[in-house]
Amino acid sequence: MSARDAILSRLKGAAPDKAEADALLVAPERPMVDEDALEAEFLARLALPSVSASHDAIDTIADLPAAVARYLDAQGEARSLCLPPDPRLMACDWRGFTLHDVAAPDEAAALAIARRGIAESGSLVFETSPQAPMLPNFLTLHHIVLLAVRDIAAHLEAAPLVGAQPRAHYWITGVSGTTDIEGSYVRGAHGPRFLHVILLREQ
Amino acid sequence: MSGFTASFKDRADAALADPILKVAVERTAGTAQAKRAVAVEAFPDFEAARDRAAAIKDHVIAHLGAYLEEFEANAIAAGARVHWASTTDEACRIVIDICKAAGAKSVARSKSMLGEEIGLPHALAEAGIGRVETDLAEHIIQLADERPSHIIWPAMHKTREQVSALFKAKHRSPHQEETIAAMAESARRELRTQMLGADVGISGANFLIADTGAICTVTNEGNAELSLVPPRVHIVTAGIEKIVPSMPHAIHMLRMLARSATGAALTQYTTFYTGPKRVGDRDGPEAMHIVLVDNGRTKMREEGLAEMLRCIRCGACMNHCVVFRQIGGHAYGGTYPGPMGAVLTPVFDGLKESRELASACTLNGKCQEVCPVRIPLPTLLKGWREKSWREGLEPRSMRWGLGVWAWVARRPALYRFGTGVAVRAMQMLGKTGWINRLPLAGGWTQYRDMPKPAPQTFMNQYKKERRR
Ligand code: SF4
């Protein structure tokens, strides 16, 4: 008997009742979020020490390069950026920047668009696609993320896509950190040491 | 994989005699305990949330076979290959065969307790495949050639001074400054190129999502993603109990996991991987393999340990355990330490080898109080004690002693006579209200005093009162 058959034969039983599984999700306990103040709620979580991201805001996507420049200048970094091949980003005017679309092992800054922000935890939600590689967001020292205010949702239940799943769906809630040495917190363990969110307030 | 080189008592004695160990364990477990308390306090109704988490896991365990088949079908539809392993050897063989078929010279491994359980580090070494542990704590352990001592903080037993010395001896360009930040930076420099150059990435899974076929990993460091995205092949080894029906179920469990483990609302990086790289994707592995491992889990379900399959490996039980806080994780000898380890180790390594673990417990119930899925750990430990007794595994001296006691206890007159003599003798031993030296129990009174018993036994006093 194959291991598969051996395991499944020991686990014989009734098929799960979908209604029973759904009933386990009725009114889940979850962090309280003021649904009328999602942006403020999101920003409050973003500022928590466990997330420790900075933020800025712009009114239209045309202002994005200026906001990125502002951030990089303030950090004392060169205006060099790993930019994914997303048409929304490529349509911006990046004059004055050195752009590349493949992240170097010691990449200083990478930009990405989050599909959602989650207020309960201050999380940013991403998916992989041909326009959205994953690796730059983990290799870079400064992770800069564009998030439209209208895409902020209260709870994590709004994060997943319904239906077909992308290769990777991921939530970033703060910078790469570790407490592996004596429980004390250090930023930038393997991935980004800085996370900067640029909120797009355009309606 | 266990490490029963000495008896539990010897291992515990050695741990207790190590002054550095206690400091190191206290620093991390103490912080974790405090942070969890704050997170739980801030959550609207954590007690109800624990009930729900337990109910979700119980539902899954009751329908485990059907959910595994659903997961398998969806993972295959997403392009992953699914393998099944009944034993640790089978699981390792599958992983090694995949590595060999991929011509792998090096693998990057993202911390997984299941990997430790099946002995994967050892199997890779035997197969001559280089292994890079990418979690900072696992990296420390690998350099020190030791075993994890905690399921969330595997290097909990090490102080910063020990880590510093280790990195200075082993890193190519070690830190100059004696700070934890500088040490972490040294590891970052050391590991990054190794991660990016690996042929295969190996991870565990915190959850397997039945209705999408996705596997979920959580890390604070981002090392899972850096280990799993660049290589050509991603191998997942996961216990079959990791299944949840759907994403919303996973979300509830993730809320519980992070708060119970580290006191955060969520772990920094939570990633759901569904199959290998898609057409047009710029990164991701060409192939994804998922190895579903039983290793005693179906037996646990049949033999009264189904509740233990709820465990989401958060580590809260050990952070709150008075015994763990004294002796650290290594003394337990198995892959999993602390209260959950004391329940699991007899399953994996045999009760005969590990029966003492069930006694390394004060039954104060703290572990059960903090467990996010309400596992009745003290009850399960008592179950092992009973089984050990039934199977005659307790030492002869104890069986003999208890036999004598039982014989006497069945003879009330003799029993009363005996206790009367004992009480009078103990009266003579203590001049004040305390006894500080007791013959045959010197080990006990070496560190503590025993209250002097009442001048007469209960039965004597009772009789006297009735006569009045
Ligand atoms: S037994 Fe409970 S508290 Fe302990 S690791 Fe498992 S889930 Fe966490």
Side-chain angles (χ1 to χ4, degrees):
Chain A
M1 196 176 353
S2 71
R4 179 183 187 277
D5 294 345
I7 293 169
L8 289 176
S9 72
R10 303 181 76 154
L11 295 174
K12 278 217 178 72
D17 180 359
K18 175 97 173 64
E20 194 187 317
D22 289 348
L24 294 165
L25 295 170
V26 176
E29 302 72 27
R30 49 193 189 184
M32 267 166 311
V33 172
D34 179 353
E35 308 247 356
D36 297 326
L38 285 179
E39 182 184 327
E41 289 271 22
F42 176 76
L43 289 178
R45 301 311 197 295
L46 212 57
L48 288 176
S50 56
V51 184
S52 61
S54 53
H55 74 275
D56 194 354
I58 54 176
D59 292 325
T60 98
I61 198 164
D63 298 335
L64 181 62
V68 173
R70 208 157 46 233
Y71 175 75
L72 292 176
D73 293 352
Q75 296 293 322
E77 293 285 350
R79 291 191 183 179
S80 165
L81 194 62
C82 178
L83 196 75
D86 184 306
R88 291 168 293 177
L89 296 177
M90 296 192 358
C92 294
D93 178 1
W94 294 102
R95 266 174 297 177
F97 281 84
T98 313
L99 298 180
H100 41 282
D101 64 357
V102 174
D106 58 349
E107 190 64 51
L111 181 63
I113 303 181
R115 184 174 54 77
R116 276 215 175 284
I118 304 296
E120 77 163 86
S121 51
S123 304
L124 299 156
V125 178
F126 303 86
E127 275 95 24
T128 50
S129 76
Q131 287 82 45
M134 184 168 174
L135 200 52
N137 300 341
F138 290 85
L139 280 177
T140 187
L141 193 64
H142 296 268
H143 190 203
I144 308 171
V145 178
L146 178 70
L147 171 69
V149 168
R150 62 166 182 274
D151 291 334
I152 299 176
H155 291 109
L156 286 164
E157 280 79 356
L161 287 167
V162 183
Q165 294 299 303
R167 140 84 184 144
H169 164 82
Y170 55 106
W171 311 339
I172 295 184
T173 312
V175 294
S176 163
T178 180
T179 52
D180 278 346
I181 306 177
E182 290 189 352
S184 56
Y185 178 67
V186 177
R187 295 168 69 118
H190 289 301
R193 188 167 298 156
F194 305 94
L195 176 63
H196 183 65
V197 179
I198 300 174
L199 290 177
L200 174 61
R201 295 214 170 104
E202 166 185 80
Q203 286 311 301
Chain B
M1 288 294 271
S2 58
F4 297 108
T5 46
S7 74
F8 172 70
K9 193 175 168 301
D10 290 345
R11 294 192 304 265
D13 279 348
L16 287 169
D18 181 347
I20 295 178
L21 177 69
K22 176 109 178 31
V23 174
V25 171
E26 228 14 72
R27 281 179 185 164
T28 307
T31 313
Q33 185 173 2
K35 284 192 183 162
R36 177 197 172 274
V38 173
V40 165
E41 188 59 39
F43 199 77
D45 192 348
F46 201 70
E47 291 310 304
R50 290 172 71 209
D51 290 336
R52 185 187 301 274
I56 290 173
K57 290 298 291 189
D58 284 348
H59 168 81
V60 169
I61 295 157
H63 305 286
L64 193 52
Y67 276 125
L68 282 166
E69 286 185 272
E70 184 186 355
F71 171 80
E72 179 190 40
N74 287 320
I76 291 172
R81 297 256 333 255
V82 178
H83 312 257
W84 301 70
S86 292
T87 63
T88 57
D89 285 351
E90 264 176 40
C92 286
R93 199 174 330 118
I94 293 168
V95 173
I96 301 297
D97 286 350
I98 297 168
C99 289
K100 284 189 175 158
K105 292 197 174 48
S106 73
V107 306
R109 212 170 77 95
S110 169
K111 180 175 99 64
S112 138
M113 288 313 297
L114 192 276
E116 300 292 332
E117 178 190 317
I118 62 174
L120 198 50
H122 181 72
L124 288 164
E126 279 207 326
I129 299 167
R131 166 175 64 101
V132 187
E133 292 293 342
T134 62
D135 172 78
L136 179 59
E138 289 282 347
H139 171 63
I140 295 170
I141 297 296
Q142 186 179 23
L143 291 185
D145 195 20
E146 289 175 0
R147 295 167 44 245
S149 66
H150 189 285
I151 62 175
I152 303 284
W153 292 279
M156 180 188 251
H157 57 287
K158 287 241 173 294
T159 59
R160 76 181 77 182
E161 294 81 8
Q162 292 172 322
V163 174
S164 172
L166 193 63
F167 285 3
K168 285 195 168 145
K170 308 261 177 158
H171 282 175
R172 283 164 293 187
S173 58
H175 56 290
Q176 302 293 328
E177 211 183 304
E178 287 304 318
T179 61
I180 293 179
M183 293 175 210
E185 181 62 30
S186 176
R188 180 185 172 110
R189 274 193 303 274
E190 183 78 17
L191 286 172
R192 184 159 281 213
T193 45
Q194 296 185 37
M195 278 196 266
L196 296 177
D199 303 306
V200 172
I202 304 183
S203 73
N206 289 86
F207 300 100
L208 305 169
I209 320 295
D211 74 348
T212 62
I215 73 112
C216 171
T217 62
V218 303
T219 72
N220 284 322
E221 299 177 13
N223 62 305
E225 291 75 4
L226 284 171
S227 312
L228 306 177
V229 177
R232 287 176 282 129
V233 179
H234 175 187
I235 305 175
V236 184
T237 57
I240 52 174
E241 84 287 9
K242 294 285 182 187
I243 290 264
V244 288
S246 71
M247 277 295 274
H249 295 92
I251 287 170
H252 184 76
M253 302 311 288
L254 284 161
R255 285 190 183 114
M256 304 302 287
L257 175 62
R259 285 178 175 83
S260 303
T262 63
L266 260 192
T267 316
Q268 271 87 340
Y269 300 105
T270 307
T271 300
F272 300 85
Y273 301 92
T274 314
K277 186 174 178 175
R278 307 284 164 82
V279 178
D281 276 359
R282 295 199 157 204
D283 49 30
E286 306 290 336
M288 182 186 195
H289 295 264
I290 302 167
V291 187
L292 299 172
V293 182
D294 180 350
N295 191 29
R297 287 162 173 78
T298 47
K299 202 160 165 247
M300 285 169 69
R301 184 172 172 270
E302 287 158 9
E303 296 182 2
L305 284 172
E307 285 153 319
M308 195 60 220
L309 294 173
R310 292 182 196 153
C311 179
I312 53 172
R313 310 286 192 259
C314 74
C317 55
M318 54 199 81
N319 296 337
H320 290 75
C321 173
V322 289
V323 177
F324 179 90
R325 297 273 283 258
Q326 293 296 323
I327 63 174
H330 285 155
Y332 286 84
T335 300
Y336 301 98
M340 55 82 84
V343 175
L344 285 173
T345 304
V347 176
F348 301 138
D349 300 319
L351 183 58
K352 190 157 179 277
E353 286 70 24
S354 58
R355 56 150 201 92
E356 287 166 303
L357 297 181
S359 304
C361 170
T362 64
L363 299 181
N364 71 3
K366 203 65 202 154
C367 50
Q368 178 172 347
E369 257 171 54
V370 296
C371 175
V373 284
R374 289 197 192 281
I375 299 175
L377 293 153
T379 310
L380 300 180
L381 284 172
K382 278 190 273 181
W384 280 128
R385 290 184 188 181
E386 282 162 25
K387 187 156 198 266
S388 171
W389 183 263
R390 276 198 312 275
E391 294 184 359
L393 301 176
E394 300 301 319
R396 199 176 303 160
S397 55
M398 186 193 283
R399 296 188 75 81
W400 185 83
L402 277 172
V404 170
W405 178 83
W407 187 85
V408 177
R410 279 196 297 269
R411 289 157 180 84
L414 187 59
Y415 192 82
R416 274 178 219 151
F417 172 75
T419 48
V421 170
V423 160
R424 274 196 297 278
M426 285 169 84
Q427 281 293 318
M428 290 193 296
L429 284 169
K431 298 215 167 24
T432 61
W434 297 89
I435 298 170
N436 49 28
R437 268 187 47 211
L438 198 59
L440 302 177
W444 172 269
T445 48
Q446 188 180 357
Y447 299 109
R448 28 185 144 31
D449 293 342
M450 189 153 163
K452 202 158 84 171
Q456 288 186 322
T457 64
F458 171 77
M459 285 310 287
N460 277 342
Q461 293 182 50
Y462 178 69
K463 270 190 210 151
K464 229 186 252 170
E465 288 296 316
R466 275 195 40 184
R467 261 183 256 137
R468 268 209 243 162

